[in-house]
Amino acid sequence: MYSSPFNSFQGSSSSPAMEQNNEDMEQLNYNEERVDEMSEEEIEIIEDDGNEGGQQVDGDGGAGPFEKKQRKKKSSIWDELTEVVLDNGTVKVKCNHCKKLFTKSTTGATSQHKRHLTSCLQRKMAIGEQSKQKQQVLSFTEGGSDGITSITNFSYNHAKVRELASHMILAHEYPFSMMEHVVFNKFMKAVSPFYKKINWPTVKEDCMSTYTIEKRKLKSLLKGASRISITTDLWKSGQKIQYMVVIGHFIDSDWVLQKRVLNFCNVPPPHTGVIIADALMQDGLGQLGGVIDVVREGIKYLNNSESRLLEFAKIKKQLQLPSKKLILDCPTRWNSTYLMLASGLEFKDVFPRYADIDPGFHYVPTDFEWMKVEEVCKFLGIFHEITDMISGFEYPTANIFLLELYRIKELLNEKALDPFEHIRAMAGSMFAKFDKYWGESNVLLSLGTILDPRYKMFLINHGFPVIYGEDATLRFIAEIRDILYELYNEYVDCHVVSHSEQQQRQVVKRRQNEGSTSSSKKQKMTAPAVLTGKEKFHMHVSEIDRAPPEKSDLDVYLEEIRYACDARANLDVLGWWKGKRLRFPILSRMAADILSVLVTTVASESTFSAGGRVIDDRRASMSVETVQMLLCGNDWIRSLYGLKNKSRESLDVAESITFEEFELPESFND
């Protein structure tokens, strides 16, 4: 056994390390002999010198789990003193302020140097000047919409940086490895020299912590919702794993329609859904026969050569046509095929002229085929507009659909009598699909329309004869009206029960308060309790409130004139009901619940689009739990910061490029 130099003050006087250096041995023995005479500063210097090898010092002031351990520092006086060697080899200590030289103590004592620094005039002057010029680092915090910015003292918080880094990874779907990118870390160091690199295992763990925190917040938020509408959709990833997304839709306390992903989990092989618009449009385009292939192959032929596009653009300029783009479709997407044909129509006079100068161009539709394309595009244009309208809403609620559904059926009725056979055939095949989906009264769409103050029963009375025919109209209208009142009565019953329970809670609370007050005042009840006039009146009003009114909220709402506004205006229906919630307390609650029900899969598909990016080929080995954390966390963090999801079209990875646009060479453009 041998003791280290750090234990020399406890009676140990020798060690193998000391025997290697006689000079050090003598110095330490001398220090041991005069330890009682040494100051704390001198002892600290000796201990520091003994730790110059870079050993880590542990103790009560040790580093935390996320901090790098540091060796103990030397005395701070050496920040203002410098050792210098004179020409004769003598070692002196020079004051950095007044340049005065002092003898260096052979024992390492610094008391005389410390006394000098305390009285050094030049040092005092320098410290005074520095205190005038020194400024604290300030942090600017952006305010709200009012633009006010607050200024606070800056303090680097690495824990907060890690939290926000996890938010960034989840919200923007960045890979975990981004935190280790070289240039990113250089950028962060430039922003703040205090920044510490975060490795990918750490940020993954932080993302999981954020997911857990936001999940707890979501559970608390959902407790305040009276009803939650659930939508689900199924999706297959490149991992060969089937996933299902579960999304909840509800109205919050501010009457704002909210959407939250509740779960993203793997399920057995799914059943694929059919979108009504896709089914209708494919049947319509099927009536065009081979003309679609002719236009598609012609555009491909032109795009394969820059010289061909130049010649095509030259003819376009000669004909003074305004359009500058050709569109090539994705054959499996009806909307892109429609756009390709619609744009091709603008160049129908260019196709035959280009064929005259290029013998290899065999893609020229006949005049009759172009006529068929034109008629079909006119007819299907309304479907394209409706699809854009539905996809453009982040939350397409039930009240916006019946009006467009009525318009589709009206067009089908017209085209069923069209003089062109191919149009009649197209309308007939689309009729079959329409009746398959809407042959019976759709309750949700109808109720949503009635609870839109712009329509009420007016649109039902006007649109049902077109959709269902004159003979069945009265039956369907009566059915919808019965369902409407039956549902409203259920809400009335719930309201009465809730009101009664609230009254009981108030009575119990009042009695508890009275008992507490009596106990505190040490009063004894010597006579039966007597109701005050205020209490009797409150009970009387409560009985009136529970009694059914002569006219219900629903009766009053339907009898009033509809809300008039410009046809192009977008009415905030939920905002309208929020303003009427005191006048129609029961009906407004019912309207909020019905309007929170979505009737398309747009919201679900946007989540799966994000899933396509998260679970790409590079991440095929991710566990199901990690996928769930990333997809749910993405939705929750974006909601936290008020970031809206992009449209389905721009989000969908597998189908993000539904068509290609070819800009004709500028040298021949107008």
Side-chain angles (χ1 to χ4, degrees):
M1 291 290 293
Y2 65 90
S3 61
S4 73
F6 297 109
N7 297 324
S8 61
F9 301 116
Q10 299 178 5
S12 176
S13 60
S14 65
S15 72
M18 295 178 187
E19 295 174 358
Q20 296 177 11
N21 193 321
N22 293 330
E23 183 177 353
D24 290 346
M25 179 68 177
E26 293 174 359
Q27 181 67 60
L28 288 171
N29 286 338
Y30 177 79
N31 291 338
E32 181 182 3
E33 293 173 358
R34 61 182 299 272
V35 63
D36 294 335
E37 302 175 2
M38 296 171 64
S39 65
E40 292 181 0
E41 292 84 3
E42 293 177 282
I43 296 175
E44 179 183 351
I45 294 298
I46 295 178
E47 290 181 336
D48 285 342
D49 291 341
N51 194 38
E52 288 181 351
Q55 299 181 24
Q56 293 179 348
V57 178
D58 296 325
D60 295 339
F66 301 109
E67 298 176 355
K68 184 178 179 181
K69 294 184 178 180
Q70 304 288 342
R71 58 182 286 264
K72 200 171 182 180
K73 294 182 179 180
K74 292 184 177 181
S75 176
S76 60
I77 66 170
W78 294 106
D79 294 335
E80 302 178 84
L81 300 173
T82 305
E83 290 186 2
V84 295
V85 181
L86 303 181
D87 294 338
N88 59 5
T90 305
V91 178
K92 295 288 187 179
V93 176
K94 182 179 71 173
C95 174
N96 295 341
H97 303 287
C98 65
K99 311 305 180 184
K100 187 175 180 179
L101 296 177
F102 300 92
T103 302
K104 181 182 179 182
S105 173
T106 58
T107 65
T110 59
S111 298
Q112 62 168 329
H113 308 320
K114 185 176 181 180
R115 287 193 295 269
H116 168 75
L117 290 175
T118 303
S119 60
C120 180
L121 181 60
Q122 283 79 4
R123 177 176 180 268
K124 291 180 179 180
M125 294 174 61
I127 292 176
E129 186 65 24
Q130 290 175 2
S131 63
K132 294 180 181 179
Q133 297 178 355
K134 185 177 180 181
Q135 295 182 354
Q136 289 183 313
V137 179
L138 300 180
S139 170
F140 295 85
T141 304
E142 294 183 0
S145 58
D146 55 5
I148 298 177
T149 301
S150 61
I151 304 177
T152 59
N153 292 336
F154 172 78
S155 177
Y156 179 78
N157 187 336
H158 191 59
K160 186 65 175 179
V161 171
R162 283 177 51 178
E163 179 188 15
L164 292 176
S166 70
H167 291 184
M168 177 184 68
I169 294 294
L170 291 171
H172 299 295
E173 302 156 18
Y174 295 146
F176 298 136
S177 60
M178 175 187 173
M179 303 305 299
E180 296 183 343
H181 290 178
V182 175
V183 178
F184 173 77
N185 279 274
K186 288 183 177 294
F187 164 73
M188 291 303 299
K189 274 291 186 181
V191 172
S192 172
F194 305 106
Y195 174 75
K196 304 171 186 177
K197 183 179 178 180
I198 307 173
N199 57 30
W200 76 263
T202 300
V203 77
K204 180 181 179 181
E205 181 181 346
D206 292 343
C207 286
M208 187 61 73
S209 299
T210 294
Y211 164 80
T212 303
I213 293 171
E214 294 303 318
K215 183 177 182 179
R216 190 160 49 246
K217 290 181 182 178
L218 177 59
K219 287 182 178 180
S220 177
L221 178 64
L222 292 176
K223 289 180 181 178
S226 61
R227 279 182 170 84
I228 302 174
S229 170
I230 302 295
T231 60
T232 63
D233 206 350
L234 298 168
W235 177 68
K236 183 177 181 179
S237 74
Q239 299 172 299
K240 308 301 181 184
I241 298 177
Q242 316 295 335
Y243 286 97
M244 179 176 71
V245 64
V246 181
I247 299 181
H249 312 267
F250 57 95
I251 306 297
D252 65 14
S253 58
D254 292 326
W255 284 74
V256 176
L257 182 57
Q258 299 287 353
K259 172 187 75 73
R260 294 292 188 277
V261 174
L262 304 182
N263 203 357
F264 193 92
C265 53
N266 70 312
V267 294
H271 300 286
T272 57
V274 179
I275 300 177
I276 178 62
D278 282 350
L280 288 172
M281 295 300 292
Q282 296 293 352
D283 284 344
L285 292 172
Q287 300 299 320
L288 293 178
V291 66
I292 296 177
D293 294 331
V294 172
V295 175
R296 181 183 296 128
E297 295 303 319
I299 295 175
K300 287 181 180 179
Y301 178 87
L302 293 170
N303 188 55
N304 285 336
S305 171
E306 184 68 20
S307 62
R308 295 171 187 170
L309 287 176
L310 286 171
E311 291 298 327
F312 192 87
K314 183 177 180 180
I315 298 173
K316 190 268 316 181
K317 183 178 181 181
Q318 292 173 350
L319 295 175
Q320 298 182 345
L321 300 178
S323 183
K324 299 179 180 181
K325 293 182 179 180
L326 286 170
I327 293 178
L328 181 63
D329 72 332
C330 173
T332 61
R333 299 297 297 272
W334 68 263
N335 54 341
S336 65
T337 302
Y338 161 76
L339 292 174
M340 180 187 71
L341 294 176
S343 66
L345 277 171
E346 300 179 10
F347 296 98
K348 67 177 182 178
D349 294 332
V350 181
F351 277 71
R353 287 172 172 79
Y354 179 78
D356 292 340
I357 63 175
D358 187 347
F361 188 74
H362 307 293
Y363 311 103
V364 182
T366 65
D367 291 341
F368 179 71
E369 288 176 326
W370 278 124
M371 182 192 67
K372 291 174 63 176
V373 170
E374 186 173 5
E375 291 297 324
V376 169
C377 286
K378 286 180 180 178
F379 177 43
L380 298 184
I382 184 64
F383 291 91
H384 180 68
E385 293 177 5
I386 293 173
T387 302
D388 281 349
M389 179 198 70
I390 294 173
S391 300
F393 282 89
E394 187 176 4
Y395 306 119
T397 50
N399 60 300
I400 68 174
F401 280 84
L402 189 63
L403 189 63
E404 306 307 329
L405 188 66
Y406 148 74
R407 177 59 178 153
I408 290 175
K409 185 60 183 293
E410 189 176 50
L411 284 173
L412 290 176
N413 291 341
E414 293 176 1
K415 297 304 178 181
L417 305 175
D418 195 271
F420 294 101
E421 182 180 357
H422 67 280
I423 297 294
R424 293 197 304 272
M426 177 185 65
S429 60
M430 296 175 73
F431 252 125
K433 287 291 176 63
F434 187 93
D435 290 338
K436 175 181 178 181
Y437 289 96
W438 309 109
E440 296 295 329
S441 173
N442 190 286
V443 176
L444 178 60
L445 298 186
S446 301
L447 294 180
T449 300
I450 294 172
L451 293 173
D452 188 322
R454 296 169 295 179
Y455 307 135
K456 299 189 177 181
M457 290 296 298
F458 292 92
L459 183 56
I460 298 291
N461 296 331
H462 177 71
F464 271 29
V466 176
I467 297 175
Y468 303 111
E470 294 290 345
D471 297 336
T473 294
L474 293 178
R475 176 170 63 87
F476 281 123
I477 291 179
E479 177 183 317
I480 288 297
R481 197 175 184 91
D482 290 343
I483 294 174
L484 177 66
Y485 273 87
E486 181 179 352
L487 181 61
Y488 174 76
N489 290 332
E490 291 182 8
Y491 273 81
V492 171
D493 294 339
C494 293
H495 176 76
V496 171
V497 172
S498 175
H499 184 76
S500 177
E501 292 176 349
Q502 183 179 6
Q503 292 291 328
Q504 293 177 3
R505 287 194 296 268
Q506 290 178 351
V507 170
V508 171
K509 184 177 181 180
R510 186 177 70 249
R511 289 178 178 176
Q512 290 175 344
N513 292 337
E514 290 175 352
S516 175
T517 303
S518 299
S519 175
S520 63
K521 294 182 178 180
K522 297 182 180 181
Q523 295 177 347
K524 296 183 179 180
M525 298 296 295
T526 59
V530 178
L531 293 176
T532 64
K534 181 179 180 181
E535 289 176 328
K536 290 191 65 176
F537 178 76
H538 182 76
M539 292 179 62
H540 175 69
V541 172
S542 298
E543 292 294 331
I544 296 177
D545 290 342
R546 286 197 293 269
E550 296 181 2
K551 283 188 177 182
S552 67
D553 288 357
L554 183 56
D555 291 327
V556 175
Y557 168 75
L558 293 177
E559 290 175 3
E560 290 182 346
I561 61 173
R562 67 183 184 86
Y563 180 81
C565 62
D566 189 272
R568 293 169 294 181
N570 292 323
L571 175 66
D572 180 5
V573 179
L574 284 175
W576 189 90
W577 278 109
K578 178 182 179 181
K580 302 294 183 180
R581 67 187 185 280
L582 297 180
R583 187 181 178 209
F584 301 125
I586 302 177
L587 187 60
S588 62
R589 187 69 265 169
M590 173 178 156
D593 291 338
I594 290 179
L595 293 175
S596 68
V597 179
L598 273 71
V599 292
T600 73
T601 60
V602 170
S604 299
E605 288 167 349
S606 66
T607 301
F608 279 123
S609 299
R613 291 192 301 277
V614 170
I615 318 172
D616 56 16
D617 293 338
R618 296 178 292 110
R619 292 176 161 184
S621 61
M622 285 196 307
S623 66
V624 173
E625 292 76 15
T626 302
V627 171
Q628 182 186 51
M629 177 267 290
L630 290 174
L631 268 297
C632 294
N634 170 265
D635 179 78
W636 301 343
I637 294 299
R638 294 187 72 85
S639 298
L640 176 66
Y641 291 100
L643 302 176
K644 292 185 177 180
N645 289 323
K646 299 177 182 178
S647 65
R648 175 198 174 201
E649 202 70 23
S650 61
L651 281 173
D652 198 336
V653 173
E655 301 176 346
S656 60
I657 304 178
T658 58
F659 59 86
E660 296 181 67
E661 290 185 338
F662 304 117
E663 189 84 27
L664 295 180
E666 295 182 0
S667 57
F668 292 103
N669 286 337
D670 295 335

